[in-house]
Amino acid sequence: MKKRLLFILLTACLAACQLGLPHPPDPYLTVGTMEIPYKIGTYSWEDSGRSIEADAADPEELTKGKEYPAVPAGSELKIHFDDWPSSIEAGIWANNEDHSKEVEDNKVMLPKKKGTYIYIIHAHWKEGEAVYAFRIETK
C-alpha cells in the first residue's frame, strides 16, 4: 500500500512539473567535487496566482533503496540554490525525528563518526517551503 501511495504521489509531482505548475527551486548539493543526489519531499509553493501542496513519504522512506555516496567523515556539505531561501535548516533524520539546525554560510559539517545517515534540508521562501532528503555514508 505504501509503495502504491508513493507511486501516486510521485506521479502527481511529475505531472505537476510537466504541466508547468509551480514548484520550489532545486538545490545543488556537493561534498568536494562530488554531487550529492537528493529527493524532494513535502512542499508547498505559490507563484503567479497558482499554488500546489505536495505531500511525500518520510525521509527514510524517500531515500530507501537508493544508492548513496560515500564521503570522508567530517566532510563539508555545500548547499547551493539559484534562488536562495530566506531561511534554511539541515540536519540528520533519526528515529522519525528531525535534528536540524540553521545553516550558516551554505555549509553543513557531516558527522566525524563513520556510518550511514539520512539528512534533510528544510528551506523557506516567500513563495513557500520544501523538504529535501538524501542518504550519505561517512567513512
Side-chain angles (χ1 to χ4, degrees):
M1 179 67 178
K2 279 186 177 183
K3 286 184 180 180
R4 184 179 175 142
L5 179 60
L6 183 59
F7 175 77
I8 291 169
L9 289 171
L10 289 174
T11 302
C13 286
L14 288 173
C17 291
Q18 291 176 346
L19 293 173
L21 291 176
H23 58 87
D26 293 319
Y28 181 65
L29 310 175
T30 58
V31 173
T33 59
M34 183 185 309
E35 186 174 352
I36 306 300
Y38 66 90
K39 293 291 180 182
I40 189 165
T42 300
Y43 69 89
S44 62
W45 200 256
E46 185 176 343
D47 188 26
S48 303
R50 298 180 302 165
S51 64
I52 188 167
E53 299 270 339
D55 197 9
D58 69 35
E60 186 171 355
E61 191 66 31
L62 267 179
T63 61
K64 186 183 271 184
K66 309 290 184 236
E67 288 195 29
Y68 44 89
V71 299
S75 295
E76 183 178 84
L77 172 81
K78 291 185 181 179
I79 303 169
H80 175 77
F81 284 96
D82 286 338
D83 179 12
W84 193 252
S86 56
S87 69
I88 184 169
E89 298 175 336
I92 296 173
W93 175 267
N95 301 318
N96 289 326
E97 290 185 17
D98 171 9
H99 301 275
S100 294
K101 59 183 179 179
E102 191 172 335
V103 172
E104 295 180 17
D105 298 324
N106 72 326
K107 299 172 190 171
V108 174
M109 294 306 295
L110 299 176
K112 292 179 181 179
K113 184 176 179 184
K114 295 177 184 181
T116 301
Y117 300 90
I118 299 170
Y119 265 82
I120 65 165
I121 298 170
H122 192 175
H124 300 265
W125 296 263
K126 66 180 179 171
E127 297 89 352
E129 62 183 300
V131 173
Y132 307 89
F134 63 93
R135 282 187 194 240
I136 200 159
E137 178 184 1
T138 57
K139 53 181 200 167

